[in-house]
Amino acid sequence: MRNIVSPLLLGSLMLSGCMTTAATVSSAPTLDLTADSETVPVGTVNRDAADDPAIWRNAADPANSLIIGTDKRAGLYVYGLDGSKKSFLPEGELNNVDLREVMIGGEKTVLVGASIRNDRANAQVGLYKLDTETAELSLLGKYPAGPGEAYGFCFGQDSGGETFAYMIEKSGFVREITLSFDGGTPAATIGREHKLATQPEGCVVDDRTGRLYVGEENAGIWLFDLNADNFVPQRFANINGSELVADVEGLALAPEGANGGYLVASSQGDNAYVLYDLITGTYVNRFRLVDGVIDGTSETDGIEVILGDFGPAYPEGLMVMQDGANEGGTQNFKLVSWSKIKAAVAP
């Protein structure tokens, strides 16, 4: 990813001190919020199955936006904002999912990508087309993503519209894959890589600034400057048993203005969600979802935030998070209005 102007000072993001052993209960004050809606459960019962969501916002008809969620034992679901199942694509073992809008064969396409784990020795990226009218996914192709077990996954786009996929391999490799769509057929080329010391998973790219954020589950959050000549990360946040409790899982962005907004992280170890300021890298606040009309969340893996109008229930944006211990036993995804979150954590 190139040619993105990035005025943030990386030095302001460097945190001092050493990583400490994570506690199971955070000592930091934590706000209690409740979910606004939830999806129907995934089809795989009595197992750790639901994992990661992505959100497509329908700008022309916000209330008919769609949520894509992985059942990491079986395939990809598409849900409506009311939580109903719209479709399911059986693809076997998928872990994380993301989407971007691209041009394929002269047609604007909602491109969905996922990390495919069917072959534990050889990672693959699955690319799919989302039909926004029928809410169905169709396979475009499966592409090699290097040796090892596919785990985390996210897309990024530079200012020229070039699209990249980032494969987070379970043993620690972070790989950049360049995608092209010449002639209407996707192609994927593996490029730069870097190995973290221990197991990573969650990742997200800020397309505005050319920054890739990766969660190393028992260490913290790393930042890769994708405009730099090297592919070496700098530490963004430590797991310290207070603000951020291991495992750090899903990552999401809530962008504001030219460069600002929040990085949101799943603090799985104490069933909470943590917000960091994207400009300064400083901790802002944290919250958890507790039982209300809808049950709360626990052991959250993947999360996603998309800002904008999603209709009356979500006027400023939507956050979706996986629930690892859904009431009733089969995992699902919870939906929360971003306006509720923002009002609570940054009044």
Side-chain angles (χ1 to χ4, degrees), residues 132-304:
T132 58
E133 295 294 327
T134 65
E136 293 183 342
L137 291 162
S138 58
L139 177 67
L140 295 174
K142 299 179 181 181
Y143 303 88
E149 182 178 347
Y151 210 45
F153 178 84
C154 55
F155 280 132
Q157 287 180 323
D158 67 15
S159 58
E162 191 168 18
T163 302
F164 301 84
Y166 293 90
M167 174 58 68
I168 312 300
E169 190 269 330
K170 195 169 186 178
S171 74
F173 282 100
V174 178
R175 297 192 180 104
E176 182 179 67
I177 301 167
T178 302
L179 302 178
S180 61
F181 308 98
D182 297 338
T185 302
T189 304
I190 300 173
R192 302 180 291 183
E193 69 175 32
H194 177 86
K195 190 177 189 304
L196 298 174
T198 61
Q199 179 174 300
E201 183 176 2
C203 71
V204 67
V205 176
D206 190 339
D207 293 341
R208 304 168 306 165
T209 58
R211 289 202 162 98
L212 165 67
Y213 299 87
V214 177
E216 187 178 0
E217 293 187 356
N218 290 301
I221 301 170
W222 296 93
L223 182 157
F224 290 79
D225 181 357
L226 300 176
N227 296 309
D229 292 333
N230 58 24
F231 195 61
V232 178
Q234 301 184 51
R235 188 176 291 276
F236 181 83
N238 287 315
I239 285 178
N240 55 17
S242 179
E243 288 90 4
L244 189 61
V245 179
D247 293 349
V248 56
E249 291 284 340
L251 300 178
L253 294 171
E256 293 183 351
N259 306 304
Y262 305 100
L263 175 72
V264 188
S266 169
S267 178
Q268 190 185 72
D270 73 323
N271 306 319
Y273 309 95
V274 183
L275 279 76
Y276 297 92
D277 187 288
L278 282 169
I279 292 179
T280 64
T282 56
Y283 166 77
V284 175
N285 213 326
R286 68 197 321 274
F287 70 96
R288 60 174 53 94
L289 290 190
V290 299
D291 291 348
V293 175
I294 297 166
D295 63 300
T297 56
S298 58
E299 302 175 6
T300 294
D301 286 327
I303 62 174
E304 180 63 295

Side-chain angles (χ1 to χ4, degrees), residues 98-109:
D98 199 5
L99 62 82
R100 287 291 192 279
E101 292 190 349
V102 301
M103 296 297 293
I104 301 180
E107 176 185 353
K108 190 175 182 180
T109 301

Side-chain angles (χ1 to χ4, degrees), residues 305-323:
V305 176
I306 297 293
L307 302 189
D309 177 18
F310 282 84
Y314 310 100
E316 295 184 64
L318 172 65
M319 181 170 179
V320 178
M321 50 273 272
Q322 183 257 12
D323 183 6

